[in-house]
Each structure stands twice: as structure tokens, then as C-alpha cells.
Amino acid sequence: MKLKEIYSQGKKPVISYEVFPPKDDADGEKLKNLFEELNKLMVFNPSLISVTYGAGGSNRNESIEIIRRIKQELKIPPMPHFTCVSTSTKNISEYLKTIESFEVKNILALRGDVPKEGNVCHDFKHADELVQYIKSNTDLSVAVAGYPEGHKECESFEKDLFYLKQKTGKGADVIYTQMFFNNEHYFSFVEKCSKIGITQPVIPGILPVSSYNQLLKMADMCKVEIPQKMKTVLEKYQEDKDYTKKYAIEYAAQQCSELLQNGVKGLHFYTLNKAYAVSEILKYL
Ligand code: FAD
């Protein structure tokens, strides 16, 4: 099923998960665990599972294998992420043919982080060019990334929104957001998108954090705000792993609850390949 249909079926909310190909998995144990975790999450009737893509295609084969298994074994539409920076048009074309041969219908089109050094190929500079290429050369439905607090490199928030509109204008059907811990950023972002004529669903990305250090690292990497209360509690109890987990789950569940009350069409969970936190949140909802 294509993204447009998934988000217009009237299913409320549309639940989707993000997973990533495990690293250092020569014996396949981590991949086995990933599918055990995903199986635990099937009870919540997900409509889509997205699979990240390593910068420059570092985990391309692993990513393709997970996509194939999600489709064939779990019978859930997979959505591969794909980054175009440093990738030649030929490679992109081959990748798209491969995923279409598995009857994949959707893709998350990204630029990816520009490598600081190395062999940078300039065939595609930004995600909007990739959206256009995919729409012109395949039958895939395309999603793109959105940043409620602005992308870490953006010249200005308005410029970032302008470029987001370019991505939707070139054919993106859905926007998945970067994680955020303050819903006000999401609500304001959706309002600003609407004001400039972006009509596509903006699906919030939810990350239940697992430790204080992880929170600091992620927030710094993505340049997102950590609300003071959350920071104070998680800093104070950072040695108490059980309490940290419980607090983070309750925090994310309350975020989701407020988002649902405000009519979001779906919730996209950054699972970090684990079922427990997401399951607890979905049970609470
Ligand atoms: P773009 O949309 O190209 O934007 C990048 C920057 O350039 C922004 O500052 C924007 O304002 C600016 N810009 C955009 N278009 C133009 C233009 N035409 N001219 C000039 N400036 C422009 N990374 C991975 O490596 N693998 C993944 O699987 C992955 N999955 C992600 C999933 C989600 C939901 C999100 C939110 C992010 C994900 N990322 C992933 C991270 C993403 O690759 C980085 O944030 C990257 O730096 C930007 O990618 P983009 O597609 O948003 O780029």
C-alpha cells in the first residue's frame, strides 16, 4: 500500500516504526533479535516499518535484506530510507530497481549528512533533487524528512520551510519529523507548514530515550531542545536505570497522548530496534 492510501484510510492513529540494520553482526544474532522485537510489536497493528540507510550506503545489503523480510515475513509495507549525498545517479537507479523488484511501494528520500572528507559525488546535492528523480523514474510513493526545530545546518527556519515545500512540491506525499521533546515545536511547525501551503501529513517522530547520556548526545547531534524538567529529572536519576526507563516511557506516552488529542494522523516510533518502550507507550494510549 502506498503512503497516500495508508494515511487516508481513516485508521487512527497510523502506527509506524523505524528500525536500523544492526552493526557488527557477523553471526546474524542481532538480526534475529531485531525480528523477535518486531514480532512483539505486531500486536499494535503497524501500517509501515521504515529501515534506515547508512551514510553513503555503508549498510546497503543489510538494509535490503531487512526490507525483504519485513515484507515477506511480517507482511507489513516496508519503507526504505535512502540518502543521495555522495551517490552516483547510476547507483541510485540500481538501488531503486532493486527495491521495486521486491514490490516495495514507498521510500523516504533523504540527502543524508555530507561527509566531512572523502570522495563526495555531486550528482545530487539535496533531497528535493532525489524526490524529483524518484518521481520521474519509478512508481514509488515518496516521504521526506522535516525538522520542527529547524535542520541543524539551516540558514534560517523560514529557509528550511521553503526547502521543505520544494520537496513536497516535487512530489513527496508525507513528512516524517525528526524527534522532538517539546510538542510546542511540532504544533508550531505544522501551523507554519500549513501557512505556506504544505498540505501533506506531518507525522511526528517519537523517541523514547533510554538514558540521560543518550538524550544529551541525540539532542546535541540533532540540535533539539531538552525541556528543563525532563533534563533535571533524567540528570538526577541517571544512575537509576529502571527509573530512567520508566520516566522516559511516561514522558513519551504523554507527548503522544497530547499529539493524538490534537489530531495527528499517525505516530512514527524510533524503536532503536527494541520493543519494550514502544509497547508500553502504545499500551498506555
Ligand atoms: P535536505 O532536505 O536536502 O536538507 C538539508 C539542508 O539543506 C537543510 O538545512 C535545508 O534547509 C537545506 N536545503 C534543502 N534543500 C536545499 C536546496 N535545494 N538548496 C539549498 N539548501 C537546501 N540519515 C541517514 O544517513 N540515514 C537515514 O536513514 C536517515 N533517516 C532519517 C529519517 C528522518 C525521519 C529524519 C528526520 C532524518 C533522517 N536522517 C537519516 C538524517 C538526515 O539524513 C540528515 O538530517 C541530513 O543532514 C539532511 O537530510 P534531508 O533529507 O533532510 O536534507
Side-chain angles (χ1 to χ4, degrees), residues 135-190:
K135 293 310 291 180
S136 312
N137 291 282
T138 74
D139 190 35
L140 293 163
S141 177
V142 181
V144 290
Y147 303 85
E149 294 168 67
H151 181 257
K152 58 191 173 189
E153 290 162 26
C154 67
E155 301 161 46
S156 70
F157 192 78
E158 285 63 37
K159 251 316 175 35
D160 214 31
L161 275 182
F162 170 83
Y163 292 129
L164 180 60
K165 189 160 181 212
Q166 274 196 348
K167 296 197 273 193
T168 54
K170 287 181 178 174
D173 290 317
V174 179
I175 298 160
Y176 290 91
T177 77
Q178 178 168 268
M179 71 182 136
F180 52 88
F181 301 109
N182 177 350
N183 283 353
E184 290 310 314
H185 292 303
Y186 172 83
F187 295 134
S188 156
F189 179 63
V190 171

Short mmCIF file of all heavy atoms in Angstrom, two decimals, residues 135-190:
data_model
loop_
_atom_site.label_atom_id
_atom_site.label_comp_id
_atom_site.label_asym_id
_atom_site.label_seq_id
_atom_site.Cartn_x
_atom_site.Cartn_y
_atom_site.Cartn_z
N LYS A 135 10.41 10.38 -8.49
CA LYS A 135 9.08 10.55 -9.09
C LYS A 135 9.13 10.39 -10.61
O LYS A 135 8.20 9.88 -11.22
CB LYS A 135 8.47 11.92 -8.74
CG LYS A 135 8.13 12.13 -7.29
CD LYS A 135 7.31 11.06 -6.62
CE LYS A 135 5.88 10.93 -7.06
NZ LYS A 135 5.18 9.82 -6.32
N SER A 136 10.25 10.81 -11.22
CA SER A 136 10.33 10.73 -12.69
C SER A 136 10.70 9.33 -13.18
O SER A 136 10.47 9.00 -14.34
CB SER A 136 11.39 11.68 -13.24
OG SER A 136 11.26 12.93 -12.70
N ASN A 137 11.30 8.53 -12.30
CA ASN A 137 11.84 7.26 -12.79
C ASN A 137 11.23 6.01 -12.17
O ASN A 137 11.62 4.90 -12.55
CB ASN A 137 13.36 7.23 -12.56
CG ASN A 137 14.08 8.21 -13.45
OD1 ASN A 137 14.28 7.97 -14.64
ND2 ASN A 137 14.42 9.36 -12.89
N THR A 138 10.36 6.18 -11.19
CA THR A 138 9.77 5.00 -10.54
C THR A 138 8.30 5.26 -10.26
O THR A 138 7.79 6.37 -10.46
CB THR A 138 10.44 4.70 -9.18
OG1 THR A 138 9.98 5.66 -8.21
CG2 THR A 138 11.95 4.74 -9.24
N ASP A 139 7.66 4.22 -9.70
CA ASP A 139 6.27 4.37 -9.32
C ASP A 139 6.15 4.49 -7.79
O ASP A 139 5.08 4.31 -7.21
CB ASP A 139 5.51 3.13 -9.83
CG ASP A 139 4.02 3.29 -9.70
OD1 ASP A 139 3.54 4.43 -9.88
OD2 ASP A 139 3.34 2.29 -9.39
N LEU A 140 7.28 4.77 -7.13
CA LEU A 140 7.28 4.79 -5.66
C LEU A 140 6.59 6.03 -5.11
O LEU A 140 6.66 7.11 -5.71
CB LEU A 140 8.73 4.78 -5.16
CG LEU A 140 9.53 3.50 -5.42
CD1 LEU A 140 11.03 3.77 -5.26
CD2 LEU A 140 9.07 2.39 -4.48
N SER A 141 5.97 5.84 -3.95
CA SER A 141 5.45 6.98 -3.21
C SER A 141 6.59 7.45 -2.30
O SER A 141 7.30 6.63 -1.72
CB SER A 141 4.24 6.52 -2.40
OG SER A 141 3.76 7.57 -1.63
N VAL A 142 6.73 8.77 -2.17
CA VAL A 142 7.93 9.31 -1.51
C VAL A 142 7.58 10.09 -0.24
O VAL A 142 6.67 10.91 -0.23
CB VAL A 142 8.68 10.25 -2.49
CG1 VAL A 142 9.94 10.81 -1.84
CG2 VAL A 142 9.03 9.52 -3.78
N ALA A 143 8.35 9.80 0.81
CA ALA A 143 8.27 10.59 2.05
C ALA A 143 9.56 11.39 2.17
O ALA A 143 10.58 11.03 1.56
CB ALA A 143 8.12 9.66 3.24
N VAL A 144 9.50 12.46 2.97
CA VAL A 144 10.71 13.25 3.21
C VAL A 144 10.82 13.59 4.70
O VAL A 144 9.87 13.41 5.46
CB VAL A 144 10.73 14.57 2.38
CG1 VAL A 144 10.93 14.27 0.91
CG2 VAL A 144 9.48 15.40 2.63
N ALA A 145 11.99 14.10 5.08
CA ALA A 145 12.23 14.47 6.48
C ALA A 145 11.87 15.93 6.72
O ALA A 145 12.07 16.79 5.85
CB ALA A 145 13.71 14.26 6.81
N GLY A 146 11.33 16.21 7.91
CA GLY A 146 11.03 17.58 8.32
C GLY A 146 11.59 17.82 9.72
O GLY A 146 11.76 16.88 10.50
N TYR A 147 11.89 19.07 10.03
CA TYR A 147 12.61 19.41 11.27
C TYR A 147 11.85 20.50 12.04
O TYR A 147 12.00 21.69 11.73
CB TYR A 147 14.03 19.88 10.92
CG TYR A 147 14.79 18.82 10.13
CD1 TYR A 147 14.66 18.74 8.73
CD2 TYR A 147 15.58 17.89 10.78
CE1 TYR A 147 15.31 17.74 8.01
CE2 TYR A 147 16.23 16.89 10.07
CZ TYR A 147 16.09 16.83 8.69
OH TYR A 147 16.73 15.84 7.98
N PRO A 148 11.04 20.08 13.02
CA PRO A 148 10.23 21.08 13.76
C PRO A 148 11.05 22.19 14.40
O PRO A 148 10.56 23.30 14.57
CB PRO A 148 9.53 20.23 14.82
CG PRO A 148 9.48 18.86 14.24
CD PRO A 148 10.72 18.71 13.42
N GLU A 149 12.31 21.93 14.72
CA GLU A 149 13.15 22.99 15.31
C GLU A 149 14.19 23.51 14.31
O GLU A 149 15.15 24.18 14.69
CB GLU A 149 13.83 22.44 16.58
CG GLU A 149 12.80 22.14 17.66
CD GLU A 149 13.35 21.35 18.82
OE1 GLU A 149 14.18 21.89 19.57
OE2 GLU A 149 12.95 20.18 18.99
N GLY A 150 13.99 23.18 13.05
CA GLY A 150 14.93 23.58 12.00
C GLY A 150 16.04 22.55 11.85
O GLY A 150 16.44 21.93 12.84
N HIS A 151 16.51 22.37 10.64
CA HIS A 151 17.63 21.44 10.40
C HIS A 151 18.90 22.06 10.97
O HIS A 151 19.07 23.29 10.94
CB HIS A 151 17.76 21.18 8.89
CG HIS A 151 18.85 20.22 8.55
ND1 HIS A 151 20.06 20.63 8.04
CD2 HIS A 151 18.94 18.88 8.68
CE1 HIS A 151 20.83 19.56 7.84
NE2 HIS A 151 20.17 18.48 8.22
N LYS A 152 19.78 21.21 11.47
CA LYS A 152 20.99 21.73 12.16
C LYS A 152 21.84 22.65 11.29
O LYS A 152 22.56 23.50 11.82
CB LYS A 152 21.83 20.55 12.68
CG LYS A 152 22.25 19.58 11.60
CD LYS A 152 22.84 18.30 12.14
CE LYS A 152 23.08 17.33 11.00
NZ LYS A 152 23.44 16.00 11.40
N GLU A 153 21.75 22.53 9.95
CA GLU A 153 22.59 23.40 9.11
C GLU A 153 21.82 24.58 8.53
O GLU A 153 22.39 25.36 7.78
CB GLU A 153 23.06 22.62 7.86
CG GLU A 153 24.04 21.55 8.10
CD GLU A 153 24.08 20.60 6.89
OE1 GLU A 153 23.75 21.00 5.77
OE2 GLU A 153 24.42 19.44 7.13
N CYS A 154 20.52 24.68 8.82
CA CYS A 154 19.72 25.64 8.03
C CYS A 154 20.13 27.09 8.29
O CYS A 154 20.46 27.45 9.41
CB CYS A 154 18.23 25.43 8.25
SG CYS A 154 17.67 25.83 9.90
N GLU A 155 20.05 27.90 7.23
CA GLU A 155 20.40 29.32 7.34
C GLU A 155 19.37 30.01 8.23
O GLU A 155 19.70 30.89 9.00
CB GLU A 155 20.33 29.99 5.97
CG GLU A 155 21.24 29.41 4.92
CD GLU A 155 20.76 29.82 3.52
OE1 GLU A 155 20.44 31.01 3.30
OE2 GLU A 155 20.71 28.93 2.67
N SER A 156 18.11 29.62 8.08
CA SER A 156 17.04 30.18 8.91
C SER A 156 15.89 29.19 8.88
O SER A 156 15.80 28.35 7.97
CB SER A 156 16.57 31.53 8.34
OG SER A 156 15.88 31.29 7.13
N PHE A 157 15.01 29.30 9.87
CA PHE A 157 13.87 28.40 9.92
C PHE A 157 12.99 28.56 8.67
O PHE A 157 12.52 27.59 8.08
CB PHE A 157 13.06 28.69 11.20
CG PHE A 157 12.05 27.64 11.49
CD1 PHE A 157 12.44 26.43 12.07
CD2 PHE A 157 10.72 27.82 11.17
CE1 PHE A 157 11.51 25.43 12.32
CE2 PHE A 157 9.79 26.83 11.42
CZ PHE A 157 10.18 25.64 12.00
N GLU A 158 12.82 29.82 8.23
CA GLU A 158 11.97 30.10 7.05
C GLU A 158 12.56 29.46 5.81
O GLU A 158 11.85 28.90 4.98
CB GLU A 158 11.84 31.63 6.84
CG GLU A 158 10.92 32.34 7.82
CD GLU A 158 11.40 32.26 9.27
OE1 GLU A 158 12.63 32.31 9.48
OE2 GLU A 158 10.55 32.12 10.17
N LYS A 159 13.88 29.53 5.68
CA LYS A 159 14.56 28.93 4.52
C LYS A 159 14.36 27.41 4.53
O LYS A 159 14.11 26.77 3.50
CB LYS A 159 16.06 29.24 4.59
CG LYS A 159 16.69 30.22 3.61
CD LYS A 159 16.32 30.13 2.27
CE LYS A 159 16.57 30.85 1.06
NZ LYS A 159 17.82 31.44 0.81
N ASP A 160 14.45 26.83 5.71
CA ASP A 160 14.28 25.40 5.87
C ASP A 160 12.87 24.98 5.41
O ASP A 160 12.69 23.99 4.71
CB ASP A 160 14.49 25.04 7.35
CG ASP A 160 15.13 23.67 7.53
OD1 ASP A 160 15.90 23.25 6.65
OD2 ASP A 160 14.85 23.02 8.55
N LEU A 161 11.89 25.80 5.82
CA LEU A 161 10.50 25.51 5.44
C LEU A 161 10.32 25.66 3.93
O LEU A 161 9.61 24.88 3.28
CB LEU A 161 9.55 26.50 6.12
CG LEU A 161 9.08 26.17 7.52
CD1 LEU A 161 8.12 27.25 8.00
CD2 LEU A 161 8.37 24.82 7.58
N PHE A 162 10.99 26.67 3.39
CA PHE A 162 10.93 26.89 1.94
C PHE A 162 11.44 25.64 1.19
O PHE A 162 10.83 25.17 0.24
CB PHE A 162 11.77 28.14 1.59
CG PHE A 162 11.99 28.35 0.13
CD1 PHE A 162 11.03 28.97 -0.65
CD2 PHE A 162 13.17 27.92 -0.48
CE1 PHE A 162 11.23 29.14 -2.02
CE2 PHE A 162 13.38 28.10 -1.84
CZ PHE A 162 12.41 28.71 -2.61
N TYR A 163 12.56 25.10 1.69
CA TYR A 163 13.11 23.90 1.04
C TYR A 163 12.22 22.68 1.27
O TYR A 163 12.13 21.80 0.41
CB TYR A 163 14.54 23.64 1.53
CG TYR A 163 15.53 24.68 1.06
CD1 TYR A 163 16.37 25.32 1.96
CD2 TYR A 163 15.61 25.03 -0.29
CE1 TYR A 163 17.28 26.28 1.53
CE2 TYR A 163 16.51 26.00 -0.72
CZ TYR A 163 17.34 26.61 0.19
OH TYR A 163 18.24 27.57 -0.25
N LEU A 164 11.57 22.64 2.42
CA LEU A 164 10.62 21.53 2.66
C LEU A 164 9.48 21.61 1.64
O LEU A 164 9.06 20.59 1.08
CB LEU A 164 10.08 21.62 4.09
CG LEU A 164 9.08 20.53 4.50
CD1 LEU A 164 9.69 19.14 4.39
CD2 LEU A 164 8.59 20.75 5.93
N LYS A 165 9.04 22.83 1.38
CA LYS A 165 7.96 22.99 0.40
C LYS A 165 8.42 22.56 -0.99
O LYS A 165 7.65 22.01 -1.78
CB LYS A 165 7.43 24.43 0.39
CG LYS A 165 6.18 24.52 -0.45
CD LYS A 165 5.32 25.69 -0.18
CE LYS A 165 4.10 25.61 -1.10
NZ LYS A 165 3.62 26.91 -1.48
N GLN A 166 9.70 22.79 -1.27
CA GLN A 166 10.23 22.32 -2.56
C GLN A 166 10.13 20.80 -2.65
O GLN A 166 9.82 20.23 -3.69
CB GLN A 166 11.69 22.72 -2.69
CG GLN A 166 11.87 24.11 -3.24
CD GLN A 166 13.30 24.35 -3.73
OE1 GLN A 166 14.22 23.57 -3.49
NE2 GLN A 166 13.49 25.43 -4.44
N LYS A 167 10.41 20.15 -1.52
CA LYS A 167 10.37 18.67 -1.52
C LYS A 167 8.94 18.18 -1.74
O LYS A 167 8.72 17.24 -2.50
CB LYS A 167 10.94 18.11 -0.21
CG LYS A 167 12.42 18.43 0.02
CD LYS A 167 13.08 17.54 1.08
CE LYS A 167 12.96 18.03 2.49
NZ LYS A 167 13.84 17.34 3.44
N THR A 168 7.98 18.83 -1.08
CA THR A 168 6.60 18.38 -1.28
C THR A 168 6.13 18.77 -2.69
O THR A 168 5.43 18.01 -3.34
CB THR A 168 5.65 18.95 -0.20
OG1 THR A 168 5.77 20.38 -0.17
CG2 THR A 168 5.97 18.38 1.17
N GLY A 169 6.56 19.94 -3.14
CA GLY A 169 6.18 20.39 -4.48
C GLY A 169 6.68 19.45 -5.57
O GLY A 169 6.08 19.32 -6.63
N LYS A 170 7.78 18.76 -5.29
CA LYS A 170 8.33 17.84 -6.29
C LYS A 170 7.73 16.44 -6.16
O LYS A 170 8.15 15.52 -6.85
CB LYS A 170 9.85 17.82 -6.20
CG LYS A 170 10.44 19.12 -6.74
CD LYS A 170 11.94 19.17 -6.71
CE LYS A 170 12.42 20.49 -7.33
NZ LYS A 170 13.86 20.67 -7.22
N GLY A 171 6.80 16.28 -5.23
CA GLY A 171 6.04 15.02 -5.22
C GLY A 171 6.05 14.22 -3.94
O GLY A 171 5.52 13.09 -3.93
N ALA A 172 6.61 14.76 -2.83
CA ALA A 172 6.57 13.98 -1.58
C ALA A 172 5.14 13.93 -1.05
O ALA A 172 4.42 14.91 -1.09
CB ALA A 172 7.49 14.61 -0.54
N ASP A 173 4.76 12.76 -0.55
CA ASP A 173 3.38 12.56 -0.07
C ASP A 173 3.25 12.74 1.44
O ASP A 173 2.14 12.97 1.93
CB ASP A 173 2.90 11.14 -0.41
CG ASP A 173 2.68 10.98 -1.89
OD1 ASP A 173 2.10 11.90 -2.50
OD2 ASP A 173 3.09 9.95 -2.45
N VAL A 174 4.32 12.51 2.17
CA VAL A 174 4.26 12.54 3.64
C VAL A 174 5.58 13.12 4.17
O VAL A 174 6.63 12.95 3.55
CB VAL A 174 4.08 11.12 4.24
CG1 VAL A 174 4.06 11.15 5.77
CG2 VAL A 174 2.80 10.47 3.75
N ILE A 175 5.49 13.79 5.33
CA ILE A 175 6.70 14.30 6.00
C ILE A 175 6.81 13.58 7.35
O ILE A 175 5.84 13.55 8.12
CB ILE A 175 6.56 15.82 6.25
CG1 ILE A 175 6.44 16.57 4.92
CG2 ILE A 175 7.75 16.35 7.08
CD1 ILE A 175 5.84 17.96 5.04
N TYR A 176 7.98 13.00 7.62
CA TYR A 176 8.24 12.41 8.95
C TYR A 176 9.19 13.35 9.66
O TYR A 176 10.21 13.75 9.08
CB TYR A 176 8.88 11.02 8.83
CG TYR A 176 7.90 10.01 8.31
CD1 TYR A 176 7.79 9.76 6.94
CD2 TYR A 176 7.05 9.33 9.18
CE1 TYR A 176 6.86 8.84 6.46
CE2 TYR A 176 6.12 8.41 8.70
CZ TYR A 176 6.04 8.17 7.33
OH TYR A 176 5.12 7.28 6.86
N THR A 177 8.87 13.67 10.90
CA THR A 177 9.72 14.66 11.58
C THR A 177 10.87 14.01 12.32
O THR A 177 10.81 12.85 12.74
CB THR A 177 8.95 15.52 12.62
OG1 THR A 177 8.74 14.76 13.81
CG2 THR A 177 7.65 16.05 12.08
N GLN A 178 11.87 14.82 12.53
CA GLN A 178 12.94 14.49 13.46
C GLN A 178 12.31 14.45 14.86
O GLN A 178 11.30 15.10 15.10
CB GLN A 178 13.99 15.59 13.38
CG GLN A 178 15.15 15.42 14.32
CD GLN A 178 16.28 16.38 13.97
OE1 GLN A 178 17.19 16.07 13.21
NE2 GLN A 178 16.22 17.56 14.51
N MET A 179 12.93 13.71 15.76
CA MET A 179 12.41 13.67 17.14
C MET A 179 12.37 15.07 17.75
O MET A 179 13.14 15.97 17.34
CB MET A 179 13.32 12.81 17.99
CG MET A 179 14.60 13.52 18.20
SD MET A 179 15.77 12.63 19.12
CE MET A 179 17.17 12.95 18.16
N PHE A 180 11.48 15.24 18.71
CA PHE A 180 11.42 16.48 19.49
C PHE A 180 10.89 16.10 20.86
O PHE A 180 10.20 15.08 21.00
CB PHE A 180 10.50 17.52 18.80
CG PHE A 180 9.15 16.96 18.46
CD1 PHE A 180 8.11 17.00 19.38
CD2 PHE A 180 8.91 16.32 17.24
CE1 PHE A 180 6.88 16.45 19.09
CE2 PHE A 180 7.68 15.76 16.95
CZ PHE A 180 6.65 15.83 17.87
N PHE A 181 11.23 16.87 21.88
CA PHE A 181 10.78 16.55 23.23
C PHE A 181 9.83 17.60 23.78
O PHE A 181 9.37 17.50 24.90
CB PHE A 181 12.00 16.40 24.16
CG PHE A 181 12.94 15.32 23.69
CD1 PHE A 181 14.19 15.64 23.15
CD2 PHE A 181 12.57 13.98 23.72
CE1 PHE A 181 15.05 14.66 22.68
CE2 PHE A 181 13.42 12.99 23.26
CZ PHE A 181 14.66 13.33 22.74
N ASN A 182 9.59 18.62 22.97
CA ASN A 182 8.65 19.67 23.36
C ASN A 182 7.63 19.76 22.22
O ASN A 182 7.94 20.22 21.12
CB ASN A 182 9.43 20.99 23.52
CG ASN A 182 8.53 22.15 23.86
OD1 ASN A 182 7.30 22.03 23.78
ND2 ASN A 182 9.12 23.27 24.22
N ASN A 183 6.40 19.33 22.52
CA ASN A 183 5.36 19.29 21.48
C ASN A 183 5.08 20.66 20.85
O ASN A 183 4.60 20.73 19.72
CB ASN A 183 4.06 18.73 22.05
CG ASN A 183 4.09 17.22 22.20
OD1 ASN A 183 5.04 16.57 21.75
ND2 ASN A 183 3.07 16.66 22.81
N GLU A 184 5.36 21.73 21.62
CA GLU A 184 5.07 23.06 21.07
C GLU A 184 5.82 23.29 19.75
O GLU A 184 5.32 23.95 18.85
CB GLU A 184 5.44 24.17 22.08
CG GLU A 184 4.52 24.23 23.28
CD GLU A 184 3.04 24.24 22.90
OE1 GLU A 184 2.67 24.99 21.99
OE2 GLU A 184 2.27 23.47 23.52
N HIS A 185 7.02 22.74 19.65
CA HIS A 185 7.79 22.90 18.40
C HIS A 185 7.04 22.23 17.24
O HIS A 185 6.98 22.75 16.13
CB HIS A 185 9.18 22.27 18.53
CG HIS A 185 10.07 22.99 19.50
ND1 HIS A 185 10.37 24.33 19.38
CD2 HIS A 185 10.73 22.56 20.60
CE1 HIS A 185 11.17 24.70 20.37
NE2 HIS A 185 11.39 23.64 21.12
N TYR A 186 6.47 21.04 17.53
CA TYR A 186 5.74 20.33 16.47
C TYR A 186 4.49 21.12 16.06
O TYR A 186 4.25 21.32 14.87
CB TYR A 186 5.36 18.92 16.96
CG TYR A 186 4.44 18.21 16.01
CD1 TYR A 186 4.94 17.52 14.89
CD2 TYR A 186 3.06 18.24 16.18
CE1 TYR A 186 4.10 16.90 14.00
CE2 TYR A 186 2.20 17.61 15.29
CZ TYR A 186 2.72 16.94 14.20
OH TYR A 186 1.88 16.33 13.31
N PHE A 187 3.72 21.57 17.05
CA PHE A 187 2.47 22.28 16.71
C PHE A 187 2.77 23.55 15.90
O PHE A 187 2.07 23.85 14.93
CB PHE A 187 1.69 22.64 17.99
CG PHE A 187 1.21 21.42 18.75
CD1 PHE A 187 1.37 21.33 20.13
CD2 PHE A 187 0.60 20.36 18.08
CE1 PHE A 187 0.94 20.20 20.83
CE2 PHE A 187 0.17 19.23 18.77
CZ PHE A 187 0.33 19.15 20.14
N SER A 188 3.80 24.25 16.30
CA SER A 188 4.15 25.49 15.61
C SER A 188 4.63 25.18 14.17
O SER A 188 4.29 25.88 13.22
CB SER A 188 5.20 26.20 16.45
OG SER A 188 5.96 27.03 15.69
N PHE A 189 5.39 24.10 14.06
CA PHE A 189 5.90 23.67 12.74
C PHE A 189 4.74 23.34 11.80
O PHE A 189 4.70 23.81 10.64
CB PHE A 189 6.78 22.45 12.97
CG PHE A 189 7.39 21.83 11.74
CD1 PHE A 189 8.28 22.54 10.95
CD2 PHE A 189 7.11 20.50 11.39
CE1 PHE A 189 8.87 21.95 9.83
CE2 PHE A 189 7.70 19.92 10.28
CZ PHE A 189 8.57 20.64 9.50
N VAL A 190 3.77 22.57 12.31
CA VAL A 190 2.63 22.17 11.47
C VAL A 190 1.86 23.41 11.03
O VAL A 190 1.45 23.53 9.85
CB VAL A 190 1.71 21.19 12.25
CG1 VAL A 190 0.41 20.94 11.51
CG2 VAL A 190 2.44 19.88 12.50
#
